[in-house]
Amino acid sequence: MTRTVLHIDSSARTEGSVTRDLSAQIVSRLGAGQVIRRDLATPLPLLDSAWIGANFTPADQRSDTQKQLLSLSDSLVEELKQADTIVIGSPVYNFSVPSTLKAWIDLVARVGMTFQYHETGPVGLLEGKRAIIVMASGGTQAGSDIDFATTYLRHMLGFIGITDVEVVAADAMSVDADGALAKAKTQIEALAA
């Protein structure tokens, strides 16, 4: 049994979403003691110059306004830290992740909190966690040269220290929706709880 799951959905579709359905099946299969839910259908704010300025101000020198600007990001990072497993539902929009998921990544990839720089390069700080990416696409095959969604998510998760990453793919659904869903369900059944 997984202790804590962070369940992230990024589909703009709140009804009839393949990734929402499949990610919910995975969370149920994992039998988590606690589920932290993050639905990105309600978009997160984009980074702006004030946020960047606050982020690069040393924590002990931040004004109350800067602390407030970073408070949502701090909460999102805390959700990641609490989770043993992260389940991310990500449809493929124009060969990549939805903009709402990119906004989440921008808010959690923070130097000193989720990664840090060393002489040899960046080192992720969130080691020992598992991630399961649920990908659905109309025509993009998972892992293909035009799949910038799962490759990007794998890279960013690894960048913050999460290297145990599995992909459940309902890909190329425009070609064979039934076959794509059957394949994804088989992948879900094969997941270890």
Side-chain angles (χ1 to χ4, degrees):
M1 178 170 149
T2 303
R3 294 184 306 275
T4 302
V5 171
L6 172 57
H7 180 190
I8 301 168
D9 273 319
S10 62
S11 176
R13 296 174 67 186
T14 56
E15 299 292 328
S17 164
V18 171
T19 56
R20 286 177 182 277
D21 179 53
L22 295 175
S23 67
Q25 289 179 42
I26 291 169
V27 171
S28 176
R29 179 172 177 77
L30 294 174
Q34 177 185 7
V35 177
I36 302 167
R37 187 81 170 91
R38 181 57 65 178
D39 191 338
L40 302 178
T42 302
L44 298 170
L46 300 178
L47 303 187
D48 60 16
S49 62
W51 190 96
I52 298 290
N55 189 47
F56 285 99
T57 299
D60 62 347
Q61 297 174 29
R62 288 179 186 143
S63 68
D64 289 342
T65 301
Q66 288 177 318
K67 290 174 187 174
Q68 181 59 37
L69 282 171
L70 296 175
S71 64
L72 173 60
S73 173
D74 292 341
S75 295
L76 296 173
V77 170
E78 189 55 35
E79 290 174 356
L80 264 174
K81 288 180 176 180
Q82 288 178 27
D84 303 294
T85 302
I86 299 94
V87 177
I88 302 173
S90 177
V92 176
Y93 291 169
N94 300 312
F95 308 103
S96 190
V97 299
S99 60
T100 55
L101 185 52
K102 173 64 166 75
W104 177 83
I105 290 166
D106 287 344
L107 290 167
V108 299
R110 289 183 57 194
V111 68
M113 294 182 75
T114 57
F115 73 95
Q116 58 190 10
Y117 290 110
H118 290 277
E119 307 80 41
T120 56
V123 175
L125 301 176
L126 300 180
E127 296 177 330
K129 298 179 183 297
R130 174 189 190 194
I132 303 168
I133 299 167
V134 181
M135 175 261 224
S137 71
T140 303
Q141 290 185 324
S144 70
D145 289 345
I146 60 170
D147 172 16
F148 302 107
T150 62
T151 53
Y152 172 68
L153 288 172
R154 277 185 189 274
H155 176 79
M156 286 308 303
L157 289 165
F159 182 76
I160 60 175
I162 304 169
T163 56
D164 179 3
V165 180
E166 299 164 87
V167 175
V168 170
D171 52 352
M173 290 195 58
S174 294
V175 178
D176 179 10
D178 291 339
L181 286 172
K183 179 183 75 165
K185 290 181 190 252
T186 298
Q187 293 170 336
I188 290 171
E189 290 168 9
L191 288 173

